[in-house]
Amino acid sequence: MDFDLMITSFPKLLGATVITLKLLSASLFFGLFLGLFFAILRLNKNIFINKFAYVYSYVFRGTPLLVQIFIIYFGLGQIEYLRSTFLWAVLKEPYWCAIIAFTLNTGAYTSEILRSAFQTIKPGIIEAGKSLGISNKIIFYKIQIPIAIRQSLPAYGNEIILMMKGTSLASTVTLMDLTGVAKYIISTTFKPIEVFIVAGGIYLFMTFIIHNVIKYLEKKYSFLQ
Amino acid sequence: MNIFKKTILTVLASFLIIGNVSAEKIKIGTEGAYPPWNSKDASGNLIGFEVELAQELCKIMKYECTIVEQDWDGMIPALVMRKFDAIMAGMSITDERKKTITFSQGYADEVASLAVMKGSSLEGMDTPEGINLSLGGSSVKKALKTLTDALAGKTVCTQTGTIHQNFLESGDVGSVNVRTYKTQDEVNLDLTSGRCDVALAAAVAFTDYADKSGKPVVLVGPTFSGGAFGNGVGVGIRQADDSAIGKRDAKILKDFNKAINKARKQGIISKLAIKHFGFDASM
């Protein structure tokens, strides 16, 4: 065991963690809106809208994240027409390709989490709102959405942790995230165990933080139940 | 009952095999993604210069060899962890790698080159045809200066953990924007897509890709050898120690060196090189 290497690689890996966190926060931010949007579509009574949202979540939950990121990065890059459009300015950058892939993926899972949360809301709560003369719109924004978010916290916490680990795939499209830099250090030192232990430790620490924040939020909003 | 019989027969048969053949059994690791050195055919079989050369060398050594596939970025760690006993994967002999493993004598060598898509502004660079970094001198210095200016602000793509990456990060051509990929295939894809302005790899890796894909990939600038580019491609083997396995490793190294000598004398290496590279890359 080369402890010196573990110590010297730690600051480099910590620097790369910033990229990992940026990827994670950007995809969770966009993914949450996308997920909410598709969850609402799923609850729509129109069969076409409903099916459209269903197919989206089915496709992105049914294929590996690695395949999705490869299709978006290497696949779309091979389409000549696309390279002449304005889209190429975004797709040219590995950073944006990764964020698009992660957002679409986490959006699909989030939509399912939120949909099931919406469906667990007791009809009595909505009826109570109606009987007080509150409009449907306000019932939705002020009652259903907050309850759905509270209901989905445990499952969404899991999704955040899964996504955090998923960002390691960014290294497959040349990004120098935590895993990317770990692999880079290994490519010159040929010592995978030491470097991956440190990198794994950093991932574990991030999980620890996320886990505790979600636990705190669950407690804080437990009055909603 | 039938299964029982079969098991007994298999066990007996294996005793016979062990009894009759005392040949050393080794595993040779290769990448299978760096044509024409080593690659895979449509049905997933390993092919290429090194796969055939390995078979020839094993015949000479009277070894029983299995060729196994290993991702490039885990190649040296896998050898050290004894997943296989030798590397034949277009791996150049460099001082950096020698800190961790050892090499046989070189069996082949070929130059590295930059490549761009036809129509790139980098075409028509005014440099000598080839530069040897070990020799140095004013013409090398001048060529490196030209390259430094030409590559400034460009995204240069290359495979992770290669001599090409080492060169780009050595500062010889200034501080270039290097992007690294897991395989050469991916470098080629992103050179075609335009995400890479220019790529660096073995010259044959590009000409092979241009031939097979029909994409307008062209070589630019000088060809590179020496210095960071190492001293030819050899068989990578674990550094021997005093243990029983270490002694076996030392024997494998010795046998490979002898076999390479013999294969060279018999013209086997040249013949295979011409077949796969189109020129005699043997050394």
Side-chain angles (χ1 to χ4, degrees), chain A residues 49-125:
Chain A
I49 294 176
N50 191 314
K51 270 274 178 288
F52 169 68
Y54 175 73
V55 167
Y56 159 72
S57 95
Y58 191 80
V59 167
F60 282 92
R61 292 190 310 146
T63 50
L65 181 53
L66 181 65
V67 172
Q68 292 163 17
I69 195 168
F70 272 4
I71 288 178
I72 290 170
Y73 186 82
F74 288 113
L76 295 183
Q78 295 306 303
I79 302 170
E80 225 163 319
Y81 167 71
L82 209 68
R83 296 208 292 266
S84 58
T85 66
F86 68 97
L87 281 174
W88 187 239
V90 174
L91 290 173
K92 196 178 176 197
E93 295 304 322
Y95 185 72
W96 287 110
C97 286
I99 288 181
I100 292 169
F102 295 157
T103 298
L104 288 170
N105 187 276
T106 187
Y109 281 98
T110 308
S111 77
E112 287 298 316
I113 292 168
L114 289 174
R115 177 191 60 85
S116 66
F118 275 122
Q119 286 173 339
T120 57
I121 297 173
K122 293 193 183 78
I125 295 175

Side-chain angles (χ1 to χ4, degrees), chain A residues 70 72-74 76-78 83 88 91-94 97 171-176 183-184 186-193, chain B residues 73 76-77 80-81 96-97 100 160-161 165-166 169 179-182 186-190 192-197 209 215:
Chain A
F70 272 4
I72 290 170
Y73 186 82
F74 288 113
L76 295 183
Q78 295 306 303
R83 296 208 292 266
W88 187 239
L91 290 173
K92 196 178 176 197
E93 295 304 322
C97 286
S171 65
T172 60
V173 290
T174 76
L175 282 175
M176 282 300 179
K183 282 184 180 166
Y184 175 80
I186 293 162
S187 77
T188 51
T189 58
F190 312 116
K191 289 192 171 131
I193 295 174
Chain B
D73 52 9
I76 290 180
V80 173
M81 287 168 201
E96 194 182 36
R97 289 175 183 143
T100 312
T160 310
Q165 185 187 357
N166 290 350
E169 288 173 352
R179 203 179 271 180
T180 58
Y181 295 78
K182 198 174 160 71
E186 293 176 355
V187 175
N188 294 337
L189 282 178
D190 259 9
T192 322
S193 77
R195 284 200 188 97
C196 306
D197 297 312
Y209 173 65
K215 296 275 180 351

